[in-house]
Amino acid sequence: MKTRVDHRLRSEAARFAFRFACDDCAHFEPDGGRCSLEYPAAPRRGALATDAADVELCKAFELT
Ligand code: SF4
């Protein structure tokens, strides 16, 4: 799901400790940096800290 990244999203993500990255997902294999479902492992932590205009959130994300 493509989501626009703007000041409000960055601010609220920091304020509410928004978890959305593979790094916080039950399907992420940190040793190899891979997704166990074999999706491209993205977005990664720090994705909101870039100049990107949007971020693609994974619908299979499961919080660990
Ligand atoms: S299921 Fe989605 S969010 Fe979870 S590790 Fe795989 S690609 Fe990342």
Side-chain angles (χ1 to χ4, degrees), residues 18-39:
F18 179 42
R19 299 288 188 256
F20 62 92
C22 295
D23 309 77
D24 298 308
C25 176
H27 302 294
F28 187 61
E29 298 175 345
D31 289 345
R34 300 179 61 243
C35 171
S36 65
L37 302 179
E38 300 189 6
Y39 294 133

Side-chain angles (χ1 to χ4, degrees), residues 42-63:
R44 297 300 300 274
R45 202 175 277 154
L48 299 182
T50 70
D51 291 337
D54 51 60
V55 63
E56 288 197 34
L57 303 179
C58 178
K59 289 186 175 180
F61 176 88
E62 290 189 46
L63 185 64

Side-chain angles (χ1 to χ4, degrees), residues 6-20 48-49:
D6 56 14
H7 174 72
R8 180 176 177 179
L9 176 61
R10 289 189 179 98
S11 173
E12 291 183 353
R15 185 171 164 204
F16 298 110
F18 179 42
R19 299 288 188 256
F20 62 92
L48 299 182

